[in-house]
């Protein structure tokens, strides 16, 4: 059973009295509430278990408050270590005589070393503390994990350790999973007393038993969906081409359907028969006339890729008018600042919600023949610009220089799709700077076949590799998937082979055969960040320490994927550390069931579903619907 202590700071009796009486456990922040000793003595016995806290430099007032709390029957008093040993020991003796617990706390403005924190916990116990409360301030997941590591060294039932700040908020949840006696929450509709403090309802919800993963099993044969990255690029290319385009091999996903909706909004006729899409469009010039003649609202669903592709395309083909781009779900929290800055710096007028959706574009951009752009945060708006430049009515070739380019394989994928629509793209350069030449040839309608999605296939490949390394050995498991694609995540197959997976590649399918234990993985995933959750799961079952780089590419995803990944790894017992941009996972740690939280992120859901296949008992998952974004049939596949 988890215990939630609601921190109450409201000085108004008509507000704090219902909060106290309605909470099973409450902390009275007397220094913030302005309570007198008489009021404290009266309130200490109300409601459930009451903790009295008074952080003030006025030791006489603090002593009167704590004495009144003990006299009133408070469950515990919380004394800050800064009050001094004499103050703490004298009040501690009073508390223990009366049956009141003594909490001794230390709040750090930063996050010290684990050694320093361990020493402080032992010091607190030496002063008679029944419970040591250690709260640091974390700016990264790496810092947050330092304070949580205290649970490996001290009895959990006597320790409340967490990191304050938004980056450390997940440690409050993890502390309860580790066995802490309670953690602090905010009452509903009340101001938190510390940054990152959730409400009781929020924390209860994240710890509730979710969907059971017990029914999942590994199929002998599986086929991943079509590449949503390729499908979105292809659908937009078909929209911009005049005439009828046929896309074969399409499978629905949330992001793919959003691209289809965009195409229809901009005048294309789209029909689907089985796995074949037919897109009949009047082309970019007709779309430009529509955008220039009336206000147009375009909904991109929850797809960041679609948004970043669309922004430069729309800004390039429109002149005057009004185009509103809006989205939903997790997309609303994601920054589109790079794409907005790109078009604004070239003359567009665009208003945004601090770089987030909705966007309102009221004047188009004017891109010259020679363009330089920063690509150090994302390649998606670069891809959008690449698709937009051939639409400009001029004779000369466009020359695009991308500085600090990341995810360059996705830029190559964009070039590949453009070439399938008769575009001419040449990419050169190295050391993070790309030189891209694009001929002024607008896309031509045609017949395109979409490849299978390697971001999705990687989950199945990882599951098969783990199974055949001694966990669920079969004669063979077969993944039906294209190879030799332009998709960067196809490298997963190479990484699994290097780790020791026994892979037999044949035309049209890939067989996974029995192998020895997998070896640790060392890989910089800067250019393939979607693979990081998948590789982390493989590392759990590999021999040795895996080192996975590129964590900085995970922050602006459907969730803060660094936090989402680390939180769930720790929850199931993984032995991990974060060092700057690198995740280290020591394989072979005993894993255990826990309520996992996806934060609405499809890649987190799928990665830990794979991990659950090799755990007993299995964890639960709070959200399975989020996989509809990329792989709607994922959980049906694992049945």
């Amino acid at each position: 059973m988890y215990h939630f202590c609601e921190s109450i700071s409201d000085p108004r009796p008509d507000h704090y009295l219902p909060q106290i009486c309605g909470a099973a456990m409450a902390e009275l922040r007397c220094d913030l509430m302005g309570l007198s000793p008489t009021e404290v003595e009266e309130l200490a016995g109300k409601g459930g278990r009451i903790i009295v806290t008074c952080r003030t430099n006025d030791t006489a007032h603090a002593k009167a408050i704590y004495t009144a709390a003990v006299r009133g029957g408070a469950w515990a008093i919380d004394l800050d270590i800064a009050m001094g040993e004499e103050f703490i020991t004298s009040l501690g003796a009073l508390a223990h005589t009366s049956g009141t617990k003594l909490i001794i706390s230390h709040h750090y403005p930063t996050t010290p070393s684990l050694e320093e924190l361990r020493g402080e916990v032992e010091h607190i116990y030496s002063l008679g503390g029944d419970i040591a409360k250690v709260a640091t301030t974390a700016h990264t997941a790496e810092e947050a994990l330092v304070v949580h590591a205290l649970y490996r060294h001290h009895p959990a039932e006597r320790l409340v350790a967490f990191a304050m700040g938004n980056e450390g908020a997940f440690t409050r949840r993890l502390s309860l999973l580790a066995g802490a006696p309670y953690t602090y929450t905010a009452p509903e509709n009340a101001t938190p007393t510390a940054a990152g403090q959730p409400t009781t309802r929020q924390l209860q919800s994240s710890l509730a038993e979710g969907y059971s993963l017990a029914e999942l099993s590994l199929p002998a044969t599986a086929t991943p969906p079509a590449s949503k990255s390729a499908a979105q690029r292809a659908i937009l290319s078909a929209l911009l081409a005049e005439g009828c385009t046929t896309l074969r091999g399409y499978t629905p996903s949330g992001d793919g359907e959003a691209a289809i909706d965009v195409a229809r909004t901009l005048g294309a006729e789209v029909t689907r028969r089985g796995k074949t899409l037919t897109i009949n469009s009047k082309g970019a010039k007709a779309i430009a006339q529509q955008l220039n003649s009336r206000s147009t609202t375009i909904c991109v669903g929850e797809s960041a890729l679609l948004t970043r592709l669309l922004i430069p395309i729309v800004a390039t083909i429109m002149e005057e008018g009004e185009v509103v781009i809006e989205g939903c779900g997790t997309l609303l929290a994601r920054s589109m600042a790079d794409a907005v800055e790109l078009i604004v710096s070239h003359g567009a007028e665009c208003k945004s919600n601090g770089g987030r959706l909705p966007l309102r574009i009221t004047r188009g951009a004017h891109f010259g023949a020679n363009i330089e752009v920063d690509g150090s945060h994302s390649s998606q708006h670069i891809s959008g610009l690449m698709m937009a430049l051939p639409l400009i009515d001029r004779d000369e070739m466009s020359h695009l220089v991308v500085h600090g380019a990341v995810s360059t394989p996705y830029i190559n994928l964009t070039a590949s799709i453009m070439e399938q629509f008769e575009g001419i793209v040449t990419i050169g350069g190295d050391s993070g700077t790309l030189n891209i030449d694009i001929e002024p040839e607008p896309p031509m309608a045609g017949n395109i076949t979409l490849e299978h999605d390697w971001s999705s296939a990687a989950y199945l490949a990882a599951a098969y590799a783990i199974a055949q390394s001694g966990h669920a050995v079969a004669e063979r498991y077969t993944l039906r998937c294209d190879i030799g694609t332009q998709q960067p995540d196809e490298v997963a197959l190479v990484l699994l082979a290097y780790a020791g997976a026994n892979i037999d590649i044949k035309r049209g399918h890939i067989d996974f055969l029995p192998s020895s234990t997998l070896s640790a993985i060392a890989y910089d995933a800067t250019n393939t960040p979607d693979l990081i959750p998948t590789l982390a799961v493989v590392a759990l079952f590999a021999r040795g320490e895996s080192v996975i780089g590129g964590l900085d590419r995970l922050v602006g995803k459907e969730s803060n994927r660094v936090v989402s990944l680390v939180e769930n790894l720790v929850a199931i017992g993984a032995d991990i550390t974060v060092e700057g941009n690198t995740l280290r996972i020591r394989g072979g740690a005993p894993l255990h069931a826990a309520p996992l939280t996806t934060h609405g992120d499809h890649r987190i859901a799928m990665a830990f579903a794979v991990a659950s296949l090799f755990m007993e008992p299995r964890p639960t998952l709070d959200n399975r619907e989020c996989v509809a974004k990329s792989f709607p049939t994922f959980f049906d596949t694992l049945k």
Side-chain angles (χ1 to χ4, degrees):
M1 182 177 179
Y2 305 118
H3 297 285
F4 311 95
C5 181
E6 294 191 349
S7 294
I8 297 174
S9 59
D10 198 313
R12 296 167 294 180
D14 59 325
H15 283 68
Y16 69 65
L17 283 173
Q19 291 172 350
I20 293 171
C21 295
M25 188 175 187
E27 176 195 38
L28 305 186
R29 283 295 306 273
C30 298
D31 50 313
L32 301 178
M33 298 170 72
L35 298 177
S36 68
T38 301
E39 291 170 320
V40 170
E41 183 173 353
E42 179 182 352
L43 293 173
K46 288 186 177 294
R49 295 188 293 180
I50 300 296
I51 298 174
V52 171
T53 303
C54 186
R55 296 193 192 126
T56 175
N57 294 325
D58 185 344
T59 55
H61 176 67
K63 187 171 184 178
I65 290 291
Y66 286 125
T67 301
V70 172
R71 195 163 50 236
W75 179 76
I77 56 174
D78 182 346
L79 310 185
D80 194 284
I81 195 74
M83 301 299 288
E85 292 190 6
E86 182 178 348
F87 182 90
I88 291 171
T89 53
S90 63
L91 278 169
L94 174 66
H96 289 148
T97 299
S98 303
T100 298
K101 292 186 180 297
L102 175 62
I103 301 168
I104 303 177
S105 59
H106 193 150
H107 297 79
Y108 292 88
T110 59
T111 299
S113 68
L114 178 59
E115 290 71 22
E116 181 177 338
L117 294 176
R118 290 183 63 189
E120 186 65 347
V121 171
E122 292 300 334
H123 180 220
I124 288 172
Y125 291 154
S126 72
L127 295 176
D130 297 301
I131 296 172
K133 176 188 171 187
V134 178
T136 73
T137 300
H139 299 95
T140 63
E142 177 180 1
E143 293 179 355
L145 285 180
V146 172
V147 66
H148 184 73
L150 287 171
Y151 286 102
R152 297 204 302 262
H153 303 281
H154 303 283
E157 66 274 10
R158 295 187 61 195
L159 178 64
V160 177
F162 58 89
M164 296 180 290
N166 292 331
E167 293 295 328
F170 71 98
T171 58
R172 297 174 185 266
R173 180 175 180 273
L174 288 180
S175 68
L176 293 177
L177 292 175
Y182 64 89
T183 197
Y184 295 89
T185 58
E188 292 300 318
N189 303 315
T191 302
T193 56
Q197 187 180 76
T199 67
T200 303
R201 185 179 300 171
Q202 287 171 334
L203 198 53
Q204 285 175 330
S205 176
S206 74
L207 289 162
E209 292 291 326
Y211 292 101
S212 171
L213 300 178
E215 79 280 7
L216 300 185
S217 62
L218 199 55
T221 302
T223 304
S227 167
K228 72 181 183 71
S229 294
Q232 288 176 288
R233 288 167 168 86
I235 291 167
L236 289 186
S237 294
L239 168 67
L240 298 171
E242 184 177 353
C244 185
T245 296
T246 300
L247 298 181
R248 291 185 171 84
Y250 176 79
T251 53
S253 68
D255 286 359
E257 295 299 290
I260 290 173
D261 289 342
V262 167
R264 287 173 172 154
T265 298
L266 295 179
E269 295 180 2
V270 185
T271 58
R272 181 169 66 235
R273 181 172 296 174
K275 292 187 176 183
T276 299
L277 282 182
T278 301
I279 302 174
N280 199 337
S281 176
K282 294 181 180 179
K285 290 183 179 180
I287 296 170
Q289 291 177 353
Q290 173 184 333
L291 299 182
N292 292 330
S293 63
R294 63 177 184 267
S295 178
T296 303
T297 298
I298 304 172
C299 182
V300 293
E302 205 172 3
S303 176
L305 169 61
L306 182 59
T307 309
R308 295 190 180 110
L309 293 176
L310 199 60
I311 290 171
I313 291 173
V314 166
T316 298
I317 63 177
M318 73 178 289
E319 294 179 3
E320 301 291 337
E322 181 183 61
V323 176
V324 177
I325 301 177
E326 58 185 27
C328 62
T330 59
L331 182 62
L332 298 179
R334 301 178 69 173
S335 175
M336 301 292 128
D338 283 351
V340 171
E341 173 59 26
L342 171 65
I343 64 170
V344 169
S345 64
H346 287 82
E349 288 187 357
C350 178
K351 294 182 179 180
S352 68
N353 179 25
R356 295 173 172 81
L357 297 185
L359 307 180
R360 186 179 302 274
I361 306 173
T362 52
R363 187 175 66 201
H366 295 279
F367 294 102
N370 297 289
I371 308 165
E372 295 191 28
V373 64
D374 176 27
S376 60
H377 295 101
S378 172
S379 69
Q380 293 177 346
H381 65 296
I382 308 298
S383 290
L385 179 58
M386 290 169 63
M387 296 174 67
L389 291 176
L391 307 177
I392 300 174
D393 187 13
R394 62 180 175 221
D395 295 330
E396 59 185 326
M397 176 176 61
S398 297
H399 180 64
L400 176 61
V401 179
V402 184
H403 297 289
V406 295
S407 293
T408 53
Y410 284 100
I411 292 176
N412 293 331
L413 175 62
T414 301
S416 174
I417 296 295
M418 292 173 66
E419 288 165 356
Q420 293 180 62
F421 284 85
E422 305 301 324
I424 302 174
V425 183
T426 304
I427 300 177
D430 53 23
S431 301
T433 298
L434 292 182
N435 297 298
I436 306 174
D437 292 327
I438 302 174
E439 296 287 347
E441 300 287 344
M444 302 291 290
N447 297 312
I448 310 297
T449 298
L450 297 173
E451 302 166 337
H452 293 112
D453 182 38
W454 266 102
S455 297
S456 299
Y459 302 109
L460 300 169
Y464 287 156
I466 295 168
Q468 293 289 48
S469 67
H471 294 274
V473 179
E475 180 181 352
R476 72 182 66 248
Y477 291 104
T478 300
L479 177 63
R480 300 193 179 278
C481 192
D482 306 308
I483 61 169
T485 71
Q486 286 287 345
Q487 298 175 58
D489 287 348
E490 189 180 332
V491 75
L493 203 60
V494 177
L495 296 173
L496 291 171
Y498 274 123
N502 187 359
I503 301 172
D504 183 17
I505 298 176
K506 297 179 180 179
R507 185 174 181 178
H509 65 274
I510 305 162
D511 287 337
F512 288 78
L513 307 174
S515 70
S516 58
T517 302
L518 298 177
S519 299
I521 296 168
Y523 179 63
D524 181 356
T526 296
N527 285 327
T528 54
D530 288 346
L531 281 183
I532 293 177
T534 313
L535 297 178
V537 169
V538 174
L540 295 175
F541 303 96
R543 180 179 60 251
E545 182 180 78
S546 292
V547 181
I548 305 169
L551 294 189
D552 59 337
R553 299 299 316 288
L554 298 185
V555 175
K557 300 294 183 179
E558 283 77 0
S559 66
N560 181 338
R561 205 169 278 166
V562 178
V563 169
S564 301
L565 179 60
V566 165
E567 177 180 0
N568 287 302
L569 286 171
V570 173
I572 61 175
D575 184 1
I576 71 166
T577 53
V578 174
E579 296 177 1
N581 199 31
T582 300
L583 174 64
R584 294 181 177 272
I585 303 176
R586 288 158 289 279
L591 305 179
H592 52 76
L596 302 182
T597 178
T598 65
H599 297 281
D601 193 322
H602 58 131
R603 302 214 178 278
I604 297 299
M606 289 187 280
F608 284 93
V610 168
S612 77
L613 294 171
F614 311 104
M615 297 173 59
E616 190 59 44
R618 294 186 179 182
T620 60
L621 204 61
D622 69 338
N623 185 330
R624 297 199 306 183
E625 292 75 17
C626 58
V627 302
K629 180 177 175 64
S630 58
F631 195 165
T633 60
F634 177 79
F635 284 103
D636 291 330
T637 300
L638 295 184
K639 277 190 178 180

